Amino acid sequence: MGRYIIQRLLLVIPTVIVISIISFIVIQLPPGDFLSSYIATLEAGGQVVDEAQVAALRMQYGLGEPVYVQYFKWVGGIIFQGEFGQSFQWKRPVSELIGERMMLTVVLSLASLLLVWAISLPIGIYSAVRQYSPGDYFFTLISFIGLGVPNFLLALVLMWLAYTHFGMSVGGLFSPEYADAPWSWDKFVDFLGHLWIPAIVLAIGGIAGLIRIMRANLLDELPKPYVVTARSKGMGEGALVLKYPVRVALNPFVSTIGWTLPGLVSGSIIVSVVLNLPTTGPMLLTALQSQDMYLAGAILLLLSILTVIGTLVSDVLLAWLDPRIRFN
Amino acid sequence: MDTKHPASAGGGGVSRRNFNKLFGGALLGSFVLPRFITDAAAQPASYNEAPMLAERVAAGTLPPVAERLPKNPLVINPTNEVGTYGGRLMGAGMAPETTNDLQIGQATGLFRFSNDLNELIPDLASGYEFNDDYTQCTITLREGLKWSDGHPFTVDDIIFYLEDYQYNPDLFPATPATWLIGGDKFGLEKIDDINIRFTFAKPYPSFSIIHFSGAPTEPFRPAHYLKPFHPKYNDNVAADATAAGYDSWQAFFTAKADGDSPSPHYGVSNPEMPCLSPWIPTSADSQRQQYERNPYYHHVDSAGNQLPYVDFMTVEYVSNAEVMNLKAVSGELSVAGLDIQLLNYPIIRRSEETGGYSTKLVYSERGSDVAIAFNQLQPDPVLKELFNDVRFRQAMSLGINRTEINELVFLGQGTPRQATVNESASFYDPKWGEHFAQFDLEKANALLDELGLTQRDANGIRLRSDGQPLIFQLEYLPQEGPKKEACELVVKHWAALGVQVDAQARERAYLIQRLDAQEQHATAWHVDRALERPSYAYSLDGKLGPGGNSIIRYAREWQNWFNSAGERGVEPPQDAKDLRDAYIVWQQTSMGTPEYEAAAKKVYDLTAETLYVIGTIGQSPQPVIVRNDIGNVFKPDDEARMWWGAANWFWHTLNPDQWYIKA
């Protein structure tokens, strides 16, 4: 087990390196760079920008150098100084910008993840145990609707409902009066009031999938001999189901933790843009659109590290949970 | 010829037209109070200040208001009534590198301008004076101006900005064209602390510093703050730059001076740099910008209250236009205009009561909101010949049903017109707007037949001279207006002429690449800076100038030829040369003179004749929203048409410093 973990840890490093190279290149792929889109924005606003001025700015930003030089400078800065570079758009260090938004991003993702699990586990178990009952059909229907409706559409609808019926201020995770205020109970309640929309929207897509998986796995397990044995030994139905088959059926849940978390973080980009949340999602989008390469590169790098580590964690968890894997 | 424009004569700085208006008003018995008082004799006797500043004065941390203001502050007559101090303006903005509704109001230049840019009012300056042949201009500042940290603002700050910054080859290998005349730098002479004389290599009545388009020209920076970041005054600057995490001292200096934007009011400002704006930026993070009042601001109202009335300002970043519109209709924003979409007009009007705001329709200053230009240097020789022929362009212009576009896309509120100068120009002739702007299929078809496009294929598409069907693309960016909707209607109209055109939305960087390589067929964009003053001062290089500009640049090689005096590029045809010469002659005249009017008319006559840019609808409506608790923004029942655009910085012309929050 220990050797397994160490082996996996060692693999993380080359994986992350390759990902960083690829994301850096992909960011640079659109024609032009930050300056060309910036100048286009300026010209649209009525400014005339000189070509020579552009050349001077390009030199200043270090955008005139070849890609690999920029890449090594950037990676060097990360490894040796912990500096992720400067954002062109915001004119501030990238680490500051990401740091400001990281906590809320993580909180939102965790909240959605917990919500997905909390809803899909019981419903999946119920669906399997009461297969083909009206309740089963009802939940199946709801979950497929949730899967089929695009999550940004759902976000818009919920946001409009919240505004018209609950009078909630739109956009953002806080009402204007609490935005700058220090944390207090009222602020926390306001935060929860705003959090439920994005959490639900993000969760709904995942719920359907997990319900079906849970249901299918459990249906595989329930007819198995050990269940019959336990029942014949007199175990109560509820305790029986929860203690044995569910534990086996949890396998895919655990193995998907790895990419559920970054899936939530990145899938939430669209929802965050629609709902105007102060998370890393909208920041990544505008960074990509204006080719603010250090900011976009840093966020992508962080996301990929999350994915890699998440996968590692889920593999380890799975090995711990399922003895069959350990002994294989 | 009137070459002097001092502020001391009564009503100085007011244009001739408005002066007549004032007199006319007085004769009718309803005296219209002038907007700004620049006459020293009309200054208020004593000054008041905001309570939050009075506290600091009492605590001894701030000098009293009379010492903070210059000797003759600019007196602003409030739009409706004298306001009350206090409160916070709330605004929202999109991407961090552009400006937003409230930040626009921050710009404080040497001169202010009226909404149509025709009237010039001395702001930080108290006046300007040309010599007889326009080779020199002396600008006089108000005496006693101070930066937001209390340090005096003098001519040294202007000289520092130009000499050590804009003209410095280490920072700008090629000086920006705004500070050059005929390719030469201005001669700078400090006469004394408040007088500076500019000398020009050739006569320059359209001096860029006294004209305006986009951000008001702010040719100064706080020298006392920036000198430590400049190698001329600090030998250690390279080491300081590296210590602060910058690659070079240039990047360090530019970041400190807010220099990589055209103005400190684009995007994130450096909160440590002293400024002259009504509000000082106190912080900017990735969520919002915060501002606080500037104790040394040099405006007062007619009762002697130092402006601004409002204490604080907050601008929040939003990630998309939908959220911006939703925030506006829910009454969260004090004012909103940028990114408020005309298509949302019904919702905006319907939510006025619940949101607690009122809406006003203002009109874009654009000569044309959707304009089309054909590539005059198209690589395909058959298409090139066709595009080069003015009769083709005339036919295509006649084939556009502008009424339909107006009704469907602009709620019937735009003006169907040809692409030309805005109708508020003093020399405007309506025939320019009507030139080939009718919908006349018969005449259009006749013109195309005249060009030899008489054969048609099985689908009814005209055949070119080489037998191929006449098919080309109309490329556009689906941004900054309803380009997509308008272009799709235009190609539908052109199909009736037997010309098949494919309307294609492009991604910005890709389209710019195509334009640089001159591969495009036809492109669509808008024609802005169409008000009189920016047209006069800047339009030679603008969208109606020979060769075009930005997305409707239709002949880049002509511009290269012009700019290199024939060395590079492709020689333009005679009418393009005539158009350019007409612009140059116009820029040599002085605003308001008969020669000026004659030259301007010649320019736009030629623009109409050459018809390089075809306009569809111009001066389209733009809803702006003002919350009910903000006073002094608009005059109630004011039906006069107001102009909106990047060229005049709309909110700035409404003087946000005299807005106030009603209790």
Side-chain angles (χ1 to χ4, degrees):
Chain A
M1 179 78 165
R3 219 186 56 180
Y4 177 72
I5 296 179
I6 291 175
Q7 209 178 15
R8 292 300 312 282
L9 272 173
L10 283 178
L11 273 178
V12 163
I13 299 173
T15 315
V16 170
I17 291 179
V18 169
I19 291 176
S20 72
I21 295 177
I22 293 178
S23 32
F24 203 77
I25 292 177
V26 166
I27 293 169
Q28 306 264 15
L29 278 178
D33 51 26
F34 171 72
L35 272 179
S36 27
S37 45
Y38 179 53
I39 285 158
T41 313
L42 289 183
E43 284 186 345
Q47 304 290 325
V48 175
V49 184
D50 224 54
E51 272 199 39
Q53 202 176 346
V54 172
L57 281 174
R58 194 155 269 142
M59 191 186 70
Q60 263 181 34
Y61 281 127
L63 289 170
E65 293 159 351
V67 175
Y68 51 87
V69 173
Q70 293 175 24
Y71 173 73
F72 279 117
K73 271 195 181 171
W74 181 56
V75 168
I78 297 178
I79 298 179
F80 298 119
Q81 295 163 341
E83 287 282 335
F84 285 88
Q86 287 265 350
S87 161
F88 302 135
Q89 278 183 304
W90 302 89
K91 301 181 198 168
R92 289 168 64 212
V94 166
S95 38
E96 261 180 49
L97 288 167
I98 297 182
E100 272 171 25
R101 300 200 166 199
M102 218 20 149
M103 197 198 75
L104 280 172
T105 312
V106 170
V107 165
L108 181 60
S109 308
L110 279 177
S112 316
L113 185 65
L114 287 173
L115 202 59
V116 169
W117 279 40
I119 295 181
S120 55
L121 240 72
I123 295 181
I125 296 173
Y126 176 81
S127 273
V129 167
R130 301 266 179 273
Q131 195 185 12
Y132 302 135
S133 69
D136 178 25
Y137 283 130
F138 173 71
F139 284 121
T140 309
L141 182 68
I142 299 278
S143 63
F144 277 124
I145 290 179
L147 192 59
V149 171
N151 56 2
F152 59 84
L153 178 61
L154 196 57
L156 277 173
V157 169
L158 284 178
M159 185 163 77
W160 180 254
L161 284 176
Y163 166 61
T164 44
H165 287 110
F166 299 119
M168 258 172 50
S169 92
V170 295
L173 282 173
F174 297 101
S175 303
E177 54 268 24
Y178 291 110
D180 287 319
W183 279 100
S184 66
W185 179 249
D186 289 328
K187 181 167 174 170
F188 185 64
V189 170
D190 178 67
F191 175 58
L192 284 181
H194 280 93
L195 189 62
W196 68 271
I197 296 180
I200 285 189
V201 170
L202 288 172
I204 281 203
I207 286 176
L210 283 179
I211 288 179
R212 300 309 292 173
I213 292 177
M214 187 64 183
R215 182 179 182 275
N217 282 348
L218 211 47
L219 284 174
D220 280 341
E221 295 300 316
L222 283 174
K224 287 208 173 142
Y226 69 86
V227 174
V228 177
T229 313
R231 205 176 280 136
S232 67
K233 276 184 159 191
M235 264 195 92
E237 195 65 25
L240 156 68
V241 169
L242 283 174
K243 192 158 176 199
Y244 297 112
V246 168
R247 188 174 158 181
V248 176
L250 273 181
N251 255 1
F253 274 65
V254 174
S255 64
T256 61
I257 286 178
W259 33 268
T260 303
L261 192 56
L264 281 172
V265 171
S266 61
S268 69
I269 288 179
I270 295 182
V271 171
S272 299
V273 169
V274 165
L275 293 172
N276 194 44
L277 303 175
T279 60
T280 52
M283 191 182 269
L284 177 61
L285 184 61
T286 51
L288 288 171
Q289 283 172 330
S290 28
Q291 295 192 280
D292 190 355
M293 57 192 198
Y294 297 130
L295 181 58
I299 296 181
L300 284 175
L301 193 62
L302 279 172
L303 281 181
S304 32
I305 291 180
L306 269 180
T307 312
V308 169
I309 292 182
T311 316
L312 176 63
V313 164
S314 73
D315 283 348
V316 169
L317 263 181
L318 197 58
W320 168 77
L321 180 68
D322 192 344
R324 296 177 292 181
I325 296 181
R326 249 181 281 157
F327 290 121
N328 234 0
Chain B
M1 198 157 54
D2 182 34
T3 59
K4 296 192 185 11
H5 299 261
S8 44
V14 179
S15 72
R16 234 180 330 157
R17 271 184 306 157
N18 287 2
F19 189 65
N20 291 337
K21 241 193 257 168
L22 286 176
F23 251 110
L27 286 173
L28 288 169
S30 57
F31 182 60
V32 175
L33 209 59
R35 201 73 150 75
F36 303 92
I37 296 175
T38 48
D39 179 354
Q43 298 281 325
S46 67
Y47 301 119
N48 306 319
E49 63 196 338
M52 68 181 263
L53 295 181
E55 270 172 30
R56 292 191 212 165
V57 173
T61 52
L62 204 61
V65 61
E67 284 169 39
R68 301 199 308 265
L69 288 168
K71 285 218 170 80
N72 51 335
L74 178 62
V75 178
I76 297 192
N77 279 313
T79 308
N80 298 323
E81 62 265 334
V82 171
T84 50
Y85 283 120
R88 177 186 290 270
L89 286 173
M90 298 292 304
M94 295 271 281
E97 68 267 28
T98 58
T99 189
N100 55 70
D101 291 301
L102 289 182
Q103 212 178 12
I104 284 178
Q106 283 278 82
T108 305
L110 295 177
F111 302 96
R112 295 186 84 83
F113 296 83
S114 59
N115 179 260
D116 58 3
L117 299 184
N118 285 338
E119 197 185 315
L120 176 151
I121 302 107
D123 192 350
L124 288 168
S126 62
Y128 67 92
E129 190 176 323
F130 279 105
N131 66 352
D132 287 326
D133 61 357
Y134 292 99
T135 52
Q136 283 184 346
C137 182
T138 307
I139 294 185
T140 311
L141 301 176
R142 289 173 197 273
E143 207 181 321
L145 286 166
K146 296 176 185 60
W147 290 98
S148 56
D149 59 354
H151 199 96
F153 170 67
T154 64
V155 153
D156 289 328
D157 296 308
I158 300 180
I159 295 186
F160 172 79
Y161 179 74
L162 289 172
E163 223 169 65
D164 295 327
Y165 189 9
Q166 301 293 313
Y167 289 157
N168 184 338
D170 291 325
L171 286 161
F172 286 98
T175 313
T178 324
W179 315 120
L180 297 173
I181 171 63
D184 292 316
K185 301 178 182 172
F186 305 147
L188 302 166
E189 186 190 329
K190 171 177 174 174
I191 302 174
D192 57 39
D193 269 347
I194 59 170
N195 284 295
I196 174 170
R197 178 179 298 142
F198 295 88
T199 312
F200 313 120
K202 31 185 246 212
Y204 194 17
S206 57
F207 185 20
S208 56
I209 288 184
I210 60 170
H211 294 288
F212 173 21
S213 177
T217 331
E218 295 172 83
F220 43 76
R221 287 292 187 276
H224 66 282
Y225 170 77
L226 286 174
K227 279 184 179 171
F229 306 113
H230 196 281
K232 186 166 155 189
Y233 306 95
N234 174 6
D235 294 322
N236 246 351
V237 73
D240 292 339
T242 327
Y246 291 89
D247 279 338
S248 61
W249 75 261
Q250 287 98 325
F252 189 40
F253 181 85
T254 312
K256 291 292 178 189
D258 281 337
D260 46 2
S261 318
S263 143
H265 314 293
Y266 262 86
V268 185
S269 327
N270 173 5
E272 295 158 4
M273 185 170 76
C275 63
L276 298 160
S277 316
W279 292 278
I280 312 173
T282 52
S283 80
D285 56 39
S286 64
Q287 244 101 281
R288 61 184 64 85
Q289 306 167 346
Q290 304 269 34
Y291 298 85
E292 188 186 278
R293 69 159 61 247
N294 176 359
Y296 293 92
Y297 191 56
H298 62 291
H299 290 188
V300 297
D301 70 9
S302 48
N305 300 311
Q306 188 197 22
L307 295 176
Y309 291 124
V310 173
D311 287 331
F312 300 103
M313 199 160 90
T314 302
V315 176
E316 228 186 276
Y317 290 122
V318 294
S319 44
N320 62 71
E322 301 295 333
V323 175
M324 172 86 90
N325 280 267
L326 195 48
K327 272 190 186 291
V329 305
S330 59
E332 272 180 43
L333 306 177
S334 304
V335 296
L338 283 168
D339 299 305
I340 300 299
Q341 296 156 342
L342 181 63
L343 289 174
N344 291 335
Y345 193 57
I347 296 183
I348 293 175
R349 291 306 306 270
R350 213 186 314 157
S351 316
E352 270 178 355
E353 247 185 71
T354 47
Y357 59 86
S358 62
T359 324
K360 188 176 167 82
L361 263 189
V362 296
Y363 294 88
S364 131
E365 53 86 15
R366 287 177 176 169
S368 187
D369 282 279
V370 182
I372 297 165
F374 295 96
N375 185 356
Q376 298 299 307
L377 297 167
Q378 168 50 236
D380 177 341
V382 177
L383 278 181
K384 175 169 188 282
E385 200 188 315
L386 216 47
F387 293 162
N388 284 155
D389 195 327
V390 70
R391 291 171 297 171
F392 178 77
R393 304 194 291 268
Q394 288 170 346
M396 300 307 262
S397 180
L398 288 173
I400 299 177
N401 185 347
R402 290 172 174 81
T403 315
E404 185 180 83
I405 298 178
N406 195 12
E407 290 297 323
L408 291 178
V409 182
F410 295 99
L411 303 183
Q413 299 283 318
T415 309
R417 69 200 300 264
Q418 198 50 267
T420 185
V421 69
N422 185 291
E423 69 189 29
S424 68
S426 61
F427 50 80
Y428 187 68
D429 189 338
K431 72 172 192 253
W432 299 328
E434 292 160 15
H435 187 78
F436 283 98
Q438 303 79 24
F439 181 46
D440 193 340
L441 276 179
E442 221 177 277
K443 193 159 170 211
N445 276 313
L447 277 168
L448 288 175
D449 288 336
E450 210 178 287
L451 285 167
L453 299 169
T454 43
Q455 309 265 8
R456 297 204 187 211
D457 71 1
N459 298 325
I461 302 185
R462 293 175 187 268
L463 294 177
R464 315 179 331 175
S465 57
D466 60 355
Q468 298 295 316
L470 183 52
I471 301 177
F472 58 88
Q473 290 184 332
L474 175 60
E475 299 172 73
Y476 61 91
L477 292 186
Q479 290 158 14
E480 316 216 5
K483 312 283 193 300
K484 171 169 152 56
E485 292 82 348
C487 286
E488 288 177 354
L489 284 170
V490 166
V491 304
K492 190 187 85 166
H493 300 153
W494 282 346
L497 295 176
V499 182
Q500 183 179 327
V501 186
D502 297 320
Q504 297 280 347
R506 293 281 188 235
E507 191 267 327
R508 183 189 289 265
Y510 174 59
L511 184 53
I512 290 179
Q513 221 181 26
R514 273 175 71 76
L515 285 164
D516 284 344
Q518 293 262 224
E519 283 169 357
Q520 83 280 16
H521 299 138
T523 48
W525 197 226
H526 50 257
V527 172
D528 56 7
R529 287 175 155 193
L531 289 171
E532 179 173 348
R533 190 178 292 268
S535 297
Y536 165 60
Y538 302 105
S539 275
L540 173 58
D541 301 309
K543 299 179 175 71
L544 290 178
N549 181 283
S550 181
I551 307 293
I552 48 172
R553 187 163 60 182
Y554 54 84
R556 188 174 193 227
E557 292 298 308
W558 292 356
Q559 292 172 334
N560 285 342
W561 191 90
F562 285 132
N563 292 335
S564 65
E567 306 263 314
R568 297 176 287 131
V570 167
E571 184 168 355
Q574 188 56 40
D575 53 8
K577 291 185 187 171
D578 290 339
L579 183 58
R580 179 182 168 82
D581 289 338
Y583 269 106
I584 293 179
V585 164
W586 185 27
Q587 288 186 330
Q588 297 281 312
T589 61
S590 169
M591 250 180 127
T593 58
E595 294 84 0
Y596 167 87
E597 193 172 320
K601 280 193 187 301
K602 177 121 195 265
V603 166
Y604 289 101
D605 283 335
L606 280 174
T607 306
E609 242 174 71
T610 52
L611 204 57
Y612 284 124
V613 178
I614 297 176
T616 55
I617 309 289
Q619 301 169 183
S620 65
Q622 166 70 39
V624 297
I625 289 171
V626 178
R627 211 162 56 181
N628 292 338
D629 65 343
I630 311 288
N632 278 346
V633 181
F634 293 116
K635 277 185 163 22
D637 310 321
D638 182 4
E639 295 298 321
R641 188 173 259 228
M642 297 194 84
W643 300 110
W644 162 273
N648 69 346
W649 276 37
F650 177 78
W651 295 116
H652 182 257
T653 62
L654 293 175
N655 299 300
D657 49 351
Q658 50 95 48
W659 296 352
Y660 72 100
I661 316 269
K662 298 183 189 168

